[in-house]
């Protein structure tokens, strides 16, 4: 039996396990094909690849890139990418700068709301990994101002709240082009998490396909059967392949277990058939 998980995070961004521990946990769960897809970085890939080879797991180098579609932040998984690609390296360097600037601005917003030094604390928590809003959320939980990371997002980090900063990520089209230039395939991550109407969602999927996108993340973490049906219909309509991922960040964080998100609807083309072939 094959168990596929093409969306996971490590300490290279906002996951709790280092790449080796993540791979070993995936192996213990019976995952046979695994991608590491940290936010806007490829830093964990070498360590994960080495661990996967030791654990007998097929490894897919990946990343989850932040992008803008209109004014909306969307996430694009780059799978089977070439981490050495100069185009990808330059893109990721730019994202790192944008993240550093955004982190400073988030820190200023939180300081005004009575939470000092959040950026320095978040950076320390990230430990050299890509700094994300998850790290800010964990810092605020540590201060006792909120019980969970989710509560921090609802109280401080969402649109209209003191820690919200609009980020000027590269466009969706540019992001897809960079992934393709590195030899990878682009997958639109968790399409149902953007709060879009059906009409807008179909427009996003169509724009994504026209930009050169290959797949949609149809089976996602703890989605309901109905959400999976909706995402599958979106992939069918846009003529896109299908991906499957847990979005695992660590145990007890609300995501499903590694490889535990379920299997793809049978009529859809698995995106991994496109690796190195499309
Ligand atoms: P960033 O890419 O730095 O804006 O951070 C996005 C990350 O924050 C996502 O990948 C999730 O891990 C996390 N996140 C976003 N919204 C929530 C939420 N409502 N609850 C918990 N984690 C969230
Ligand atoms: Mn995350
Ligand atoms: Mn995401
Ligand atoms: Mn993710």
């Amino acid at each position: 039996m094959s168990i596929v998980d093409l969306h996971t995070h490590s300490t290279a961004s906002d996951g709790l396990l280092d790449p080796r521990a993540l791979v070993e946990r995936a192996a213990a769960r019976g995952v046979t094909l695994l991608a590491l897809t940290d936010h806007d970085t490829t830093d964990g890939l070498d360590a994960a690849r080495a661990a996967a080879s030791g654990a007998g797991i097929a490894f897919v180098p990946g990343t989850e890139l932040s992008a803008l579609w209109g004014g909306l932040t969307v996430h694009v998984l780059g799978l089977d990418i070439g981490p050495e690609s100069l185009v990808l390296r330059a893109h990721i360097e730019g994202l790192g700068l944008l993240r550093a600037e955004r982190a400073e601005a988030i820190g200023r917003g939180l300081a005004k709301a009575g939470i000092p030094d959040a950026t320095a604390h978040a950076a320390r928590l990230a430990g050299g990994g890509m700094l994300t809003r998850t790290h800010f959320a964990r810092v605020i939980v540590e201060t006792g101002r909120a019980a969970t990371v989710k509560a921090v997002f609802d109280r401080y980090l969402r649109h209209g709240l003191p820690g919200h900063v609009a980020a000027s990520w590269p466009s969706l089209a540019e992001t897809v082009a960079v992934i393709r230039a590195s030899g990878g395939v682009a997958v639109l991550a968790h399409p149902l998490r953007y709060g879009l109407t059906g009409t807008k969602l179909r427009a996003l999927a169509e724009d994504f396909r026209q930009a050169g996108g290959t797949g949609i993340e149809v089976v996602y973490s703890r989605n309901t059967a109905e959400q999976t049906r909706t995402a599958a219909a979106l992939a069918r309509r846009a003529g896109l392949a299908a991906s499957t991922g847990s979005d695992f960040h660590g145990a007890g964080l609300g995501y499903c277990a590694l490889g535990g998100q379920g299997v793809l609807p049978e009529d859809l083309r698995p995106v991994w058939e496109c690796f190195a072939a499309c």
Side-chain angles (χ1 to χ4, degrees), residues 167-234:
S168 46
W169 309 122
S171 72
L172 178 69
E174 184 186 339
T175 302
V176 171
V178 165
I179 289 167
R180 291 189 63 134
S182 86
V185 303
V187 167
L188 181 65
H190 44 62
L192 301 184
R193 272 190 37 190
Y194 304 125
L196 295 172
T197 62
T199 309
K200 283 265 188 194
L201 205 48
R202 288 190 288 276
L204 170 58
E206 186 54 30
D207 281 0
F208 183 71
R209 189 190 61 75
Q210 282 184 16
T214 296
I216 284 192
E217 195 170 39
V218 168
V219 177
Y220 175 71
S221 203
R222 290 202 169 152
N223 270 359
T224 63
E226 181 172 357
Q227 287 172 318
T228 303
R229 276 196 296 277
T230 303
L234 197 63

Side-chain angles (χ1 to χ4, degrees), residues 4 7 18 31 34 39 46 48 58 64 76 84 104 107 120 135 147 153 182 191 197 205 208 214 218 223 241 270 273:
V4 181
H7 186 168
D18 66 33
V31 173
L34 176 76
H39 296 287
D46 285 348
E64 181 174 18
V76 182
E84 311 301 329
E104 292 300 331
H135 298 105
F153 273 88
S182 86
T197 62
F208 183 71
T214 296
V218 168
N223 270 359
E273 287 183 0

Side-chain angles (χ1 to χ4, degrees), residues 21-249:
L22 181 86
V23 167
E24 284 167 1
R25 190 181 178 101
R29 304 269 330 170
V31 173
T32 50
L33 180 66
L34 176 76
L36 177 63
T37 55
D38 275 304
H39 296 287
D40 301 335
T41 184
T42 57
D43 282 355
L45 297 181
D46 285 348
R49 187 196 292 282
S53 125
I57 284 193
F59 181 67
V60 178
T63 184
E64 181 174 18
L65 299 181
S66 310
L68 280 182
W69 181 64
L72 179 75
T73 295
V74 296
H75 287 172
V76 182
L77 297 167
L79 299 175
D80 199 31
I81 52 169
E84 311 301 329
S85 153
L86 294 181
V87 174
L88 180 61
R89 297 250 59 80
H91 188 84
I92 281 177
E93 196 180 321
L95 288 167
L97 295 173
L98 286 172
R99 279 189 174 272
E101 282 170 18
R102 186 187 65 154
E104 292 300 331
I106 290 173
R108 287 193 294 274
L110 292 174
K112 281 186 198 150
I115 306 174
D117 303 323
T119 306
H121 285 132
R124 207 171 306 137
L125 203 60
M130 190 54 95
L131 185 50
T132 72
R133 288 186 298 163
T134 310
H135 298 105
F136 280 93
R138 289 181 189 146
V139 162
I140 294 172
V141 168
E142 277 178 15
T143 70
R145 288 177 172 87
T148 63
V149 162
K150 184 181 180 316
V152 177
F153 273 88
D154 291 343
R155 242 176 260 171
Y156 294 99
L157 300 180
R158 282 189 195 289
H159 195 78
L161 298 172
H164 180 265
V165 176
S168 46
W169 309 122
S171 72
L172 178 69
E174 184 186 339
T175 302
V176 171
V178 165
I179 289 167
R180 291 189 63 134
S182 86
V185 303
V187 167
L188 181 65
H190 44 62
L192 301 184
R193 272 190 37 190
Y194 304 125
L196 295 172
T197 62
T199 309
K200 283 265 188 194
L201 205 48
R202 288 190 288 276
L204 170 58
E206 186 54 30
D207 281 0
F208 183 71
R209 189 190 61 75
Q210 282 184 16
T214 296
I216 284 192
E217 195 170 39
V218 168
V219 177
Y220 175 71
S221 203
R222 290 202 169 152
N223 270 359
T224 63
E226 181 172 357
Q227 287 172 318
T228 303
R229 276 196 296 277
T230 303
L234 197 63
R236 262 176 225 122
R237 190 187 169 106
L240 289 162
S243 192
T244 173
S246 64
D247 206 3
F248 184 81
H249 285 63

